[in-house]
Amino acid sequence: MNELPLRLLPWNSPEVKPCYLSTDDPGSRLSRMADEVEAELIASGEAVLAGAEAVLADLAAGEVAVRFALTRATESLRDALRVAECRGDRVS
């Protein structure tokens, strides 16, 4: 009996545990949804990066703006690392 590989999904359960999908169909509804969420996380990270760069370029930006930009950048980096982990599991 061959077991299907588990796909790490880009979201956690309500208990903050990783969620996995077991399917041999990369075109399944849940697989497509996970692909869309991954793409949205990357796009959001790109927008956050642009905003953070703008704050850093603004010599008049105060501590609150810098802390906000850093907080969002940290969140986006965490999301990007999760996407990389999800995709890396599918490559190996």
Side-chain angles (χ1 to χ4, degrees), residues 3 11-12 16 18 20 24 28-31 33 38 44 48 61-62 64 80 83 85:
E3 290 188 33
W11 56 79
N12 289 325
V16 194
Y20 294 90
D24 60 353
S28 72
R29 175 180 275 176
L30 197 51
S31 292
M33 180 186 210
E38 288 177 359
S44 176
V48 168
V64 172
V83 170
E85 182 182 7

PDB file of all heavy atoms in Angstrom, residues 3 11-12 16 18 20 24 28-31 33 38 44 48 61-62 64 80 83 85:
ATOM      1  N   GLU A   3       1.451   5.110   0.506  1.00  0.00           N
ATOM      2  CA  GLU A   3       0.824   6.235   1.175  1.00  0.00           C
ATOM      3  C   GLU A   3       1.027   7.486   0.341  1.00  0.00           C
ATOM      4  O   GLU A   3       2.073   7.678  -0.271  1.00  0.00           O
ATOM      5  CB  GLU A   3       1.433   6.441   2.561  1.00  0.00           C
ATOM      6  CG  GLU A   3       1.061   5.362   3.531  1.00  0.00           C
ATOM      7  CD  GLU A   3       1.508   5.703   4.940  1.00  0.00           C
ATOM      8  OE1 GLU A   3       1.527   6.885   5.300  1.00  0.00           O
ATOM      9  OE2 GLU A   3       1.847   4.768   5.662  1.00  0.00           O
ATOM     10  N   TRP A  11      -1.370  27.356   6.246  1.00  0.00           N
ATOM     11  CA  TRP A  11      -2.100  27.875   7.395  1.00  0.00           C
ATOM     12  C   TRP A  11      -2.058  26.836   8.501  1.00  0.00           C
ATOM     13  O   TRP A  11      -1.727  25.673   8.290  1.00  0.00           O
ATOM     14  CB  TRP A  11      -3.540  28.219   7.023  1.00  0.00           C
ATOM     15  CG  TRP A  11      -4.315  27.081   6.421  1.00  0.00           C
ATOM     16  CD1 TRP A  11      -4.910  26.034   7.082  1.00  0.00           C
ATOM     17  CD2 TRP A  11      -4.569  26.860   5.028  1.00  0.00           C
ATOM     18  NE1 TRP A  11      -5.510  25.188   6.187  1.00  0.00           N
ATOM     19  CE2 TRP A  11      -5.321  25.669   4.925  1.00  0.00           C
ATOM     20  CE3 TRP A  11      -4.246  27.548   3.859  1.00  0.00           C
ATOM     21  CZ2 TRP A  11      -5.746  25.159   3.702  1.00  0.00           C
ATOM     22  CZ3 TRP A  11      -4.674  27.037   2.657  1.00  0.00           C
ATOM     23  CH2 TRP A  11      -5.426  25.865   2.583  1.00  0.00           C
ATOM     24  N   ASN A  12      -2.374  27.281   9.700  1.00  0.00           N
ATOM     25  CA  ASN A  12      -2.399  26.403  10.859  1.00  0.00           C
ATOM     26  C   ASN A  12      -3.827  26.113  11.274  1.00  0.00           C
ATOM     27  O   ASN A  12      -4.759  26.830  10.890  1.00  0.00           O
ATOM     28  CB  ASN A  12      -1.669  27.059  12.043  1.00  0.00           C
ATOM     29  CG  ASN A  12      -0.178  27.114  11.842  1.00  0.00           C
ATOM     30  OD1 ASN A  12       0.413  26.221  11.252  1.00  0.00           O
ATOM     31  ND2 ASN A  12       0.449  28.172  12.325  1.00  0.00           N
ATOM     32  N   VAL A  16      -3.247  26.144  16.416  1.00  0.00           N
ATOM     33  CA  VAL A  16      -1.931  26.627  15.963  1.00  0.00           C
ATOM     34  C   VAL A  16      -0.979  25.453  15.673  1.00  0.00           C
ATOM     35  O   VAL A  16       0.209  25.504  15.949  1.00  0.00           O
ATOM     36  CB  VAL A  16      -1.317  27.627  16.968  1.00  0.00           C
ATOM     37  CG1 VAL A  16      -0.161  28.367  16.333  1.00  0.00           C
ATOM     38  CG2 VAL A  16      -2.350  28.620  17.463  1.00  0.00           C
ATOM     39  N   PRO A  18       0.325  22.690  12.536  1.00  0.00           N
ATOM     40  CA  PRO A  18       0.367  22.637  11.072  1.00  0.00           C
ATOM     41  C   PRO A  18      -0.771  21.794  10.507  1.00  0.00           C
ATOM     42  O   PRO A  18      -1.203  20.821  11.124  1.00  0.00           O
ATOM     43  CB  PRO A  18       1.713  21.989  10.762  1.00  0.00           C
ATOM     44  CG  PRO A  18       2.416  21.802  12.050  1.00  0.00           C
ATOM     45  CD  PRO A  18       1.485  22.103  13.163  1.00  0.00           C
ATOM     46  N   TYR A  20      -2.069  19.571   7.118  1.00  0.00           N
ATOM     47  CA  TYR A  20      -1.542  18.802   5.997  1.00  0.00           C
ATOM     48  C   TYR A  20      -2.695  18.326   5.127  1.00  0.00           C
ATOM     49  O   TYR A  20      -3.800  18.107   5.608  1.00  0.00           O
ATOM     50  CB  TYR A  20      -0.747  17.592   6.492  1.00  0.00           C
ATOM     51  CG  TYR A  20       0.508  17.962   7.227  1.00  0.00           C
ATOM     52  CD1 TYR A  20       0.495  18.162   8.598  1.00  0.00           C
ATOM     53  CD2 TYR A  20       1.709  18.128   6.544  1.00  0.00           C
ATOM     54  CE1 TYR A  20       1.657  18.512   9.275  1.00  0.00           C
ATOM     55  CE2 TYR A  20       2.872  18.472   7.216  1.00  0.00           C
ATOM     56  CZ  TYR A  20       2.835  18.667   8.577  1.00  0.00           C
ATOM     57  OH  TYR A  20       3.995  19.019   9.235  1.00  0.00           O
ATOM     58  N   ASP A  24      -3.509  12.919  -4.142  1.00  0.00           N
ATOM     59  CA  ASP A  24      -2.627  12.704  -5.288  1.00  0.00           C
ATOM     60  C   ASP A  24      -3.029  13.617  -6.450  1.00  0.00           C
ATOM     61  O   ASP A  24      -2.522  13.498  -7.546  1.00  0.00           O
ATOM     62  CB  ASP A  24      -2.629  11.244  -5.722  1.00  0.00           C
ATOM     63  CG  ASP A  24      -4.008  10.758  -6.129  1.00  0.00           C
ATOM     64  OD1 ASP A  24      -4.986  11.515  -5.950  1.00  0.00           O
ATOM     65  OD2 ASP A  24      -4.109   9.620  -6.611  1.00  0.00           O
ATOM     66  N   SER A  28      -6.794  19.521  -7.044  1.00  0.00           N
ATOM     67  CA  SER A  28      -7.984  19.442  -6.193  1.00  0.00           C
ATOM     68  C   SER A  28      -8.333  20.823  -5.656  1.00  0.00           C
ATOM     69  O   SER A  28      -7.514  21.749  -5.655  1.00  0.00           O
ATOM     70  CB  SER A  28      -7.750  18.475  -5.028  1.00  0.00           C
ATOM     71  OG  SER A  28      -6.847  19.052  -4.093  1.00  0.00           O
ATOM     72  N   ARG A  29      -9.556  20.967  -5.220  1.00  0.00           N
ATOM     73  CA  ARG A  29     -10.035  22.262  -4.719  1.00  0.00           C
ATOM     74  C   ARG A  29      -9.141  22.776  -3.586  1.00  0.00           C
ATOM     75  O   ARG A  29      -8.761  23.939  -3.578  1.00  0.00           O
ATOM     76  CB  ARG A  29     -11.469  22.127  -4.238  1.00  0.00           C
ATOM     77  CG  ARG A  29     -11.989  23.415  -3.589  1.00  0.00           C
ATOM     78  CD  ARG A  29     -13.379  23.267  -3.131  1.00  0.00           C
ATOM     79  NE  ARG A  29     -14.236  23.558  -4.286  1.00  0.00           N
ATOM     80  CZ  ARG A  29     -15.538  23.451  -4.272  1.00  0.00           C
ATOM     81  NH1 ARG A  29     -16.152  23.034  -3.204  1.00  0.00           N
ATOM     82  NH2 ARG A  29     -16.248  23.739  -5.340  1.00  0.00           N
ATOM     83  N   LEU A  30      -8.803  21.925  -2.631  1.00  0.00           N
ATOM     84  CA  LEU A  30      -7.975  22.366  -1.505  1.00  0.00           C
ATOM     85  C   LEU A  30      -6.539  22.657  -1.935  1.00  0.00           C
ATOM     86  O   LEU A  30      -5.917  23.597  -1.437  1.00  0.00           O
ATOM     87  CB  LEU A  30      -8.004  21.323  -0.382  1.00  0.00           C
ATOM     88  CG  LEU A  30      -7.542  21.790   0.984  1.00  0.00           C
ATOM     89  CD1 LEU A  30      -8.239  23.078   1.424  1.00  0.00           C
ATOM     90  CD2 LEU A  30      -7.778  20.708   2.017  1.00  0.00           C
ATOM     91  N   SER A  31      -6.024  21.887  -2.888  1.00  0.00           N
ATOM     92  CA  SER A  31      -4.683  22.159  -3.421  1.00  0.00           C
ATOM     93  C   SER A  31      -4.648  23.522  -4.109  1.00  0.00           C
ATOM     94  O   SER A  31      -3.713  24.308  -3.903  1.00  0.00           O
ATOM     95  CB  SER A  31      -4.256  21.082  -4.421  1.00  0.00           C
ATOM     96  OG  SER A  31      -4.050  19.853  -3.782  1.00  0.00           O
ATOM     97  N   MET A  33      -6.660  26.014  -3.545  1.00  0.00           N
ATOM     98  CA  MET A  33      -6.832  27.023  -2.503  1.00  0.00           C
ATOM     99  C   MET A  33      -5.492  27.300  -1.807  1.00  0.00           C
ATOM    100  O   MET A  33      -5.139  28.460  -1.564  1.00  0.00           O
ATOM    101  CB  MET A  33      -7.868  26.564  -1.480  1.00  0.00           C
ATOM    102  CG  MET A  33      -8.103  27.528  -0.370  1.00  0.00           C
ATOM    103  SD  MET A  33      -9.211  26.736   0.826  1.00  0.00           S
ATOM    104  CE  MET A  33     -10.047  28.132   1.462  1.00  0.00           C
ATOM    105  N   GLU A  38      -0.769  30.745  -0.864  1.00  0.00           N
ATOM    106  CA  GLU A  38       0.679  30.954  -0.977  1.00  0.00           C
ATOM    107  C   GLU A  38       0.982  32.173  -1.843  1.00  0.00           C
ATOM    108  O   GLU A  38       1.812  33.016  -1.484  1.00  0.00           O
ATOM    109  CB  GLU A  38       1.363  29.715  -1.545  1.00  0.00           C
ATOM    110  CG  GLU A  38       1.418  28.551  -0.590  1.00  0.00           C
ATOM    111  CD  GLU A  38       2.034  27.300  -1.212  1.00  0.00           C
ATOM    112  OE1 GLU A  38       2.401  27.327  -2.403  1.00  0.00           O
ATOM    113  OE2 GLU A  38       2.141  26.294  -0.495  1.00  0.00           O
ATOM    114  N   SER A  44       1.534  39.837  -0.694  1.00  0.00           N
ATOM    115  CA  SER A  44       1.450  40.701   0.482  1.00  0.00           C
ATOM    116  C   SER A  44       2.850  41.058   0.979  1.00  0.00           C
ATOM    117  O   SER A  44       3.109  42.209   1.346  1.00  0.00           O
ATOM    118  CB  SER A  44       0.659  39.998   1.590  1.00  0.00           C
ATOM    119  OG  SER A  44       0.652  40.770   2.764  1.00  0.00           O
ATOM    120  N   VAL A  48       4.483  44.732   1.543  1.00  0.00           N
ATOM    121  CA  VAL A  48       5.072  45.120   2.834  1.00  0.00           C
ATOM    122  C   VAL A  48       6.520  45.557   2.638  1.00  0.00           C
ATOM    123  O   VAL A  48       6.966  46.550   3.224  1.00  0.00           O
ATOM    124  CB  VAL A  48       4.965  43.969   3.855  1.00  0.00           C
ATOM    125  CG1 VAL A  48       5.827  44.233   5.089  1.00  0.00           C
ATOM    126  CG2 VAL A  48       3.516  43.761   4.264  1.00  0.00           C
ATOM    127  N   ALA A  61      10.850  59.693   9.256  1.00  0.00           N
ATOM    128  CA  ALA A  61       9.987  58.648   9.827  1.00  0.00           C
ATOM    129  C   ALA A  61      10.317  58.475  11.305  1.00  0.00           C
ATOM    130  O   ALA A  61      11.479  58.373  11.692  1.00  0.00           O
ATOM    131  CB  ALA A  61      10.169  57.335   9.077  1.00  0.00           C
ATOM    132  N   GLY A  62       9.293  58.443  12.095  1.00  0.00           N
ATOM    133  CA  GLY A  62       9.482  58.301  13.534  1.00  0.00           C
ATOM    134  C   GLY A  62       9.548  56.848  13.972  1.00  0.00           C
ATOM    135  O   GLY A  62       9.390  55.912  13.177  1.00  0.00           O
ATOM    136  N   VAL A  64       7.475  55.108  15.723  1.00  0.00           N
ATOM    137  CA  VAL A  64       6.227  54.354  15.548  1.00  0.00           C
ATOM    138  C   VAL A  64       6.147  53.788  14.132  1.00  0.00           C
ATOM    139  O   VAL A  64       5.813  52.618  13.938  1.00  0.00           O
ATOM    140  CB  VAL A  64       5.001  55.233  15.873  1.00  0.00           C
ATOM    141  CG1 VAL A  64       3.711  54.516  15.508  1.00  0.00           C
ATOM    142  CG2 VAL A  64       5.000  55.611  17.341  1.00  0.00           C
ATOM    143  N   ALA A  80       6.602  34.082   4.346  1.00  0.00           N
ATOM    144  CA  ALA A  80       7.429  33.654   3.207  1.00  0.00           C
ATOM    145  C   ALA A  80       8.207  32.387   3.543  1.00  0.00           C
ATOM    146  O   ALA A  80       8.342  31.489   2.700  1.00  0.00           O
ATOM    147  CB  ALA A  80       8.395  34.765   2.800  1.00  0.00           C
ATOM    148  N   VAL A  83       5.797  29.511   3.272  1.00  0.00           N
ATOM    149  CA  VAL A  83       5.571  29.154   1.869  1.00  0.00           C
ATOM    150  C   VAL A  83       6.771  28.369   1.337  1.00  0.00           C
ATOM    151  O   VAL A  83       6.603  27.358   0.654  1.00  0.00           O
ATOM    152  CB  VAL A  83       5.287  30.399   1.006  1.00  0.00           C
ATOM    153  CG1 VAL A  83       5.286  30.056  -0.476  1.00  0.00           C
ATOM    154  CG2 VAL A  83       3.963  31.034   1.404  1.00  0.00           C
ATOM    155  N   GLU A  85       8.821  26.549   3.025  1.00  0.00           N
ATOM    156  CA  GLU A  85       8.772  25.211   3.626  1.00  0.00           C
ATOM    157  C   GLU A  85       7.722  24.344   2.938  1.00  0.00           C
ATOM    158  O   GLU A  85       7.971  23.178   2.612  1.00  0.00           O
ATOM    159  CB  GLU A  85       8.462  25.327   5.120  1.00  0.00           C
ATOM    160  CG  GLU A  85       8.435  23.998   5.850  1.00  0.00           C
ATOM    161  CD  GLU A  85       8.089  24.137   7.323  1.00  0.00           C
ATOM    162  OE1 GLU A  85       7.743  25.238   7.783  1.00  0.00           O
ATOM    163  OE2 GLU A  85       8.161  23.105   8.009  1.00  0.00           O
TER     164      GLU A  85
END
